Amino acid sequence: MTVKTRFAPSPTGRLHVGNIRTALHNWMLARKAGGQFVLRIDDTDAERSEERYIEAIRQDLAWLGLTPEAEERQSERLTEYEAAFERLKAAGRVYPAYETAQELDLKRKIQLGRGLPPIYDRAALSMGEEERAGKEAEGVAPHWRFKLDHDEPIGWDDGVRGPQKFDAAQLSDPVIRRADGSWLYMLPSCVDDIAMGITDVLRGEDHVSNTAVQVQMFTALNAEPPRFAHEALLVGKEGKLSKRLGSLGCDAFRDRGIEPEALIALLARLGTSKPVEPIATRKALVESFDLSTFGRAPAKFDDTELDRINAAIVHQLDYDAVAARLPAGMDAAAWQAIRPNLEKVGDAAEWWSIVTGPVSQPEFDAETRAYLAMAADVLVWTQTPWRDLTAAVKEATGRKGKSLFLPLRQALTGMDHGPDMGELLPLIGEDEARVRLQAAARG
Ligand code: GLU
């Protein structure tokens, strides 16, 4: 049986960093086993699902390089859900319920007020035929609940959390279908996992109680449940689930100059016992992926850590990987020279504009102009022209520190601050460097 995982977003918004992490881990789990990774669009909620979000999900996965082997859409599988529903109904595992949302809310409040857990009391199950007919006559359409088997112990060996046990009697029979006939998440997900041959369900720990219910659903549908693993949630570095994280998506990362490989290197290891390292090759990350290294504590997402990983990844990127994003004319040699100084690929443009010029130099006083004229004269082109130039002018003038370096930098780059001159000067080249020094000296 080859491993088959799925990433099942609801297209009701853009993917955020938490979803991206789940997608990545499912992709890695499949890749490591040479299996398959399926994108399942959970769009049974017609009202809230939007086509533009489906397109955005595809694009985000493409940017991340998490290509699915197949894509499925729940809205195209409604007949399958209907069939499963009929089977469960025939087997007495679903029942109609007529309570309104307000009634249910009131029941919950009363239970909580008495210090009891708010478990659905199965009132609908004990309704007589007459009572039911009365509701129907009033025109009240039922919603439908899955009937848990209280005698069947629930348990699974969770890939992250270890052995899990639940008492069905301590759970509410979940609503699986609304009065208007539309589906809630629970049943379609099981039907799909069975039909698509999903072997491993890896998702956030907010789904643990859903899993408890779904384990019985798989059995009720005569299927072996898949392996389950629930990872701890992603939180901000302050340790809380933040609104910001919930809206932080691929667009924001891209705009900030974050490379997909940096995000992936971070998210692959965050919350595991393995160190977060700037590993730029997927193969290495995939090989070291191991659910047993995942911790139970929330994974802390820290932007500073991402920036650090990003810079280290940028330093490893080949020219071919970035060429399309570099300014025109910037060649492989220039990339090679500039790369170690960058935090983001986008910063290359600033360097390159200094290299190609023109630079706008400040006005220098007479003494500084004479200094720069002398610098133009003593400039010799060695392996380390900046070091040799500054040594020569220091020797000749006795200047040091700022008065030694700043006029040279200003004349050569037009700026007070900027990239390391030792890296930059060789790219500017001897002739252009001399021309700039002479122009500054003329004033
Ligand atoms: N659409 C569900 C969600 O986004 C899928 C959960 C699952 O992986 O089964 O939470």
Side-chain angles (χ1 to χ4, degrees):
M1 185 168 67
T2 78
V3 165
K4 202 168 180 186
T5 65
R6 86 293 195 281
F7 171 51
S10 307
T12 55
R14 297 292 303 256
L15 298 183
H16 57 70
V17 58
N19 306 135
I20 294 170
R21 175 167 169 258
T22 305
L24 170 66
H25 293 165
N26 275 286
W27 181 86
M28 293 207 294
L29 192 60
R31 275 292 151 287
K32 184 165 181 189
Q36 293 191 310
F37 167 66
V38 176
L39 169 62
R40 189 185 84 198
I41 304 288
D42 282 6
D43 58 348
T44 52
D45 187 341
E47 208 122 284
R48 292 178 57 230
S49 298
E50 291 185 41
E51 208 54 43
R52 65 187 169 119
Y53 291 132
I54 299 178
E55 196 39 50
I57 289 167
R58 290 185 191 124
Q59 281 174 10
D60 286 347
L61 291 181
W63 181 70
L64 292 159
L66 306 179
T67 320
E69 269 71 44
E71 182 182 312
E72 303 280 356
R73 271 177 89 141
Q74 291 198 320
S75 60
E76 288 167 1
R77 301 181 37 77
L78 301 178
T79 47
E80 312 288 327
Y81 310 147
E82 198 68 55
F85 179 76
E86 287 308 325
R87 273 174 64 196
L88 292 177
K89 205 158 113 184
R93 293 301 296 269
V94 294
Y95 61 92
Y98 297 83
E99 293 94 341
T100 63
Q102 289 88 328
E103 281 165 348
L104 291 173
D105 198 38
L106 189 64
K107 282 188 193 204
R108 266 193 299 268
K109 280 190 180 132
I110 293 171
Q111 286 168 315
L112 289 171
R114 290 186 187 144
L116 298 169
I119 302 166
Y120 177 60
D121 62 7
R122 290 189 157 175
L125 203 52
S126 46
M127 267 169 99
E129 270 311 314
E130 226 167 87
E131 207 180 338
R132 207 168 280 151
K135 288 282 182 190
E136 300 281 342
E138 280 171 39
V140 184
H143 54 273
W144 297 83
R145 288 185 185 262
F146 175 72
K147 189 179 160 205
L148 289 165
D149 181 347
H150 288 181
D151 298 325
E152 184 190 313
I154 299 173
W156 71 93
D157 190 9
D158 196 284
V160 173
R161 301 163 65 86
Q164 302 289 300
K165 282 195 179 0
F166 280 83
D167 176 2
Q170 296 303 311
L171 301 169
S172 292
D173 291 336
V175 177
I176 58 168
R177 194 171 198 181
R178 298 187 190 88
D180 66 3
S182 65
W183 300 101
L184 281 119
Y185 153 78
M186 213 69 93
L187 179 65
S189 185
C190 283
V191 170
D192 289 348
D193 287 339
I194 296 168
M196 293 166 198
I198 300 301
T199 58
D200 293 80
V201 170
L202 168 57
R203 54 192 176 188
E205 66 180 11
D206 50 331
H207 281 289
V208 168
S209 57
N210 288 341
T211 299
V213 164
Q214 285 177 329
V215 163
Q216 283 208 355
M217 253 178 214
F218 279 104
T219 315
L221 292 166
N222 295 321
E224 190 66 38
R227 286 183 290 262
F228 287 102
H230 298 84
E231 50 188 24
L233 299 182
L234 195 66
V235 297
K237 78 169 189 295
E238 46 320 308
K240 281 192 283 211
L241 275 175
S242 73
K243 249 211 173 120
R244 197 182 77 86
L245 276 194
S247 60
L248 195 55
C250 290
D251 274 2
F253 289 121
R254 192 170 31 222
D255 292 351
R256 215 173 94 198
I258 299 296
E259 300 298 315
E261 299 309 326
L263 192 58
I264 283 179
L266 178 73
L267 294 178
R269 294 278 181 88
L270 211 60
T272 75
S273 56
K274 297 223 158 113
V276 172
E277 292 168 329
I279 299 173
T281 47
R282 302 253 164 144
K283 209 164 157 274
L285 282 174
V286 165
E287 271 160 20
S288 71
F289 182 76
D290 181 356
L291 282 180
S292 72
T293 64
F294 280 65
R296 295 282 300 267
K300 285 192 183 164
F301 179 83
D302 180 354
D303 278 305
T304 340
E305 192 173 23
L306 179 58
D307 287 335
R308 177 177 67 77
I309 298 290
N310 194 61
I313 294 277
V314 168
H315 301 164
Q316 302 173 55
L317 292 176
D318 288 334
Y319 175 69
D320 289 342
V322 294
R325 291 186 284 152
L326 296 180
M330 192 172 161
D331 59 10
W335 169 249
Q336 207 66 29
I338 287 178
R339 185 176 76 162
N341 303 284
L342 303 178
E343 287 185 357
K344 286 156 191 172
V345 173
D347 298 344
E350 184 196 329
W351 282 72
W352 192 241
S353 71
I354 298 170
V355 170
T356 56
V359 295
S360 66
Q361 300 159 326
E363 290 214 3
F364 297 103
D365 60 23
E367 194 194 334
T368 312
R369 292 208 299 273
Y371 170 61
L372 292 168
M374 189 268 297
D377 286 344
V378 301
L379 178 69
V380 280
W381 212 247
T382 59
Q383 285 295 89
T384 51
W386 175 251
R387 208 174 67 202
D388 298 337
L389 172 67
T390 50
V393 293
K394 184 176 181 186
E395 166 100 25
T397 62
R399 285 185 184 233
K400 12 182 229 255
K402 198 170 158 191
S403 75
L404 174 76
F405 295 111
L406 187 59
L408 294 173
R409 175 182 282 282
Q410 288 172 326
L412 289 165
T413 71
M415 302 198 315
D416 293 351
H417 304 283
D420 181 350
M421 291 302 300
E423 298 284 340
L424 204 54
L425 191 53
L427 293 172
I428 294 172
E430 179 176 9
D431 293 346
E432 177 67 14
R434 186 166 288 109
V435 165
R436 290 184 193 177
L437 290 170
Q438 287 166 342
R442 276 195 306 274

